[in-house]
Amino acid sequence: MKMNFKGLVSLHTSPKTTPLLSLYEAVINSIQSIEDAHITNGKIEIVIEREKQMNFFEQWETDVENIVIIDNGIEFNDDNYAVYPGEWICTVKELTAWFRTRFQRQAVSILNELQKRHLSSYLLLDRGKVVKYKIRDWKKHNTVLDYNCPCQKDTGFFFMTPVVATKLVSVGRCSEMDILLDLWMSAVYNDGQVQGSEIAPVVYFRTGTGSLLAAYSGMAVHWGISKVTIGHVLKKLADMDYISLMSFSGRTGSVIYLHSYLFVMFQISDALVDKELLQK
């Protein structure tokens, strides 16, 4: 008997508020990959991995830690990646390169941490070689974008609230990349409540004072590193022409202007920062 499994699954629509929506979509993708492979013995296997720990409450099942989808359809490649707003499919190998981890299990561990913090969700596909991940609250935080337009995973931006970004940055010791990312997320431009932001994009840590001066002591607490290390990192970023770091005698703190911000975000020429103008 020949059955249209894709049609059968479509009959059982799953509302987006349910936690199994990603699993539902992954099964649909597996059905599509089997159809693309033009085979008659299609097979989809769903493996539920549970926490490997002792159950002290004598329950039959522990919490679900991961769900792996395995099928014998066509493998994913650069031509058939599915890209949706806030949702991507890529190989775990690619993800490892993006996260700059040495091993693939370290990249998956990062996904686990983000999932535990309810910032994203993911599923491993194609015998663990492909990952499908989704950023939660994408639509909520990206209302200025056309939600129906696919976002390219290599060139797109994800805009998150400062509260969420601060929580992420404050998790542990920040790397140089974390610091640079935080500087960009903390940038303001031509904000009437922040004096000096009309000159060029500048870092403002939302202190509520309207002052651009950022003290090393505050950044040390925020980034989980010493003030000496902060000095070295900011100097390195300035030498690499990522920022303009300005300090003023008799004042506590420095002003950090970002280079190439306007060009990257809006494709317009960046403004030149004049220190003498700031001193006025």
Side-chain angles (χ1 to χ4, degrees):
M1 181 177 179
K2 189 174 182 181
M3 300 181 67
N4 184 352
F5 285 98
K6 186 174 181 181
L8 289 174
V9 174
S10 298
L11 290 176
H12 301 281
T13 57
S14 176
K16 294 185 178 181
T17 54
T18 60
L20 295 179
L21 179 62
S22 295
L23 176 60
Y24 170 84
E25 294 175 343
V27 172
I28 294 297
N29 288 339
S30 292
I31 293 174
Q32 184 64 55
S33 69
I34 292 172
E35 289 182 350
D36 292 341
H38 302 292
I39 57 178
T40 57
N41 60 337
K43 178 182 177 182
I44 301 175
E45 183 179 355
I46 301 176
V47 180
I48 299 178
E49 299 178 351
R50 297 186 176 274
E51 291 184 349
K52 298 179 179 64
Q53 63 181 11
M54 294 185 65
N55 195 328
F56 296 102
F57 298 99
E58 298 181 353
Q59 296 176 350
W60 287 101
E61 297 177 342
T62 55
D63 293 337
V64 175
E65 190 175 58
N66 191 26
I67 300 177
V68 181
I69 312 295
I70 302 173
D71 63 66
N72 60 346
I74 189 171
E75 293 188 356
F76 288 98
N77 53 51
D78 291 338
D79 295 327
N80 58 22
Y81 280 158
V83 181
Y84 304 98
E87 185 172 351
W88 300 265
I89 292 181
C90 66
T91 63
V92 177
K93 183 178 179 181
E94 284 180 314
L95 196 70
T96 301
W98 298 340
F99 285 170
R100 299 195 177 189
T101 58
R102 185 175 181 183
F103 303 106
Q104 293 185 8
R105 54 181 171 81
Q106 293 174 313
V108 176
S109 177
I110 293 175
L111 289 180
N112 279 330
E113 184 63 27
L114 293 174
Q115 186 165 264
K116 288 179 181 178
R117 294 180 178 277
H118 306 290
L119 296 172
S120 66
S121 59
Y122 78 97
L123 287 171
L124 291 176
L125 311 172
D126 195 21
R127 297 173 177 80
K129 294 185 293 184
V130 174
V131 60
K132 178 179 182 179
Y133 61 96
K134 176 186 293 185
I135 297 177
R136 296 183 179 180
D137 293 330
W138 174 275
K139 187 175 181 179
K140 177 181 176 182
H141 298 328
N142 290 269
T143 54
V144 296
L145 300 179
D146 185 356
Y147 182 66
N148 294 321
C149 291
C151 180
Q152 300 301 319
K153 60 181 179 293
D154 293 328
T155 58
F157 286 91
F158 170 56
F159 297 93
M160 64 179 66
T161 63
V163 174
V164 174
T166 301
K167 286 182 179 180
L168 278 175
V169 171
S170 303
V171 168
R173 179 184 174 88
C174 288
S175 65
E176 293 179 358
M177 182 178 292
D178 295 331
I179 291 175
L180 183 59
L181 179 62
D182 189 39
L183 294 178
W184 273 66
M185 290 191 298
S186 303
V188 296
Y189 178 58
N190 206 17
D191 188 328
Q193 297 180 347
V194 183
Q195 186 178 5
S197 64
E198 72 280 0
I199 299 175
V202 65
V203 175
Y204 177 60
F205 289 111
R206 272 77 176 178
T207 58
T209 63
S211 174
L212 295 177
L213 292 174
Y216 280 22
S217 57
M219 287 185 279
V221 175
H222 184 55
W223 293 331
I225 57 179
S226 67
K227 292 188 289 185
V228 175
T229 302
I230 287 176
H232 291 319
V233 172
L234 293 181
K235 184 179 183 304
K236 180 178 179 180
L237 294 177
D239 292 341
M240 296 177 69
D241 203 32
Y242 289 145
I243 65 172
S244 287
L245 181 62
M246 299 186 178
S247 301
F248 306 92
S249 59
R251 299 183 185 179
T252 304
S254 301
V255 177
I256 306 172
Y257 281 94
L258 299 177
H259 294 180
S260 303
Y261 182 89
L262 295 178
F263 178 76
V264 172
M265 298 297 290
F266 308 109
Q267 275 105 47
I268 61 176
S269 299
D270 279 88
L272 297 176
V273 180
D274 188 349
K275 184 175 180 179
E276 293 183 358
L277 181 62
L278 285 176
Q279 289 176 325
K280 297 178 181 180

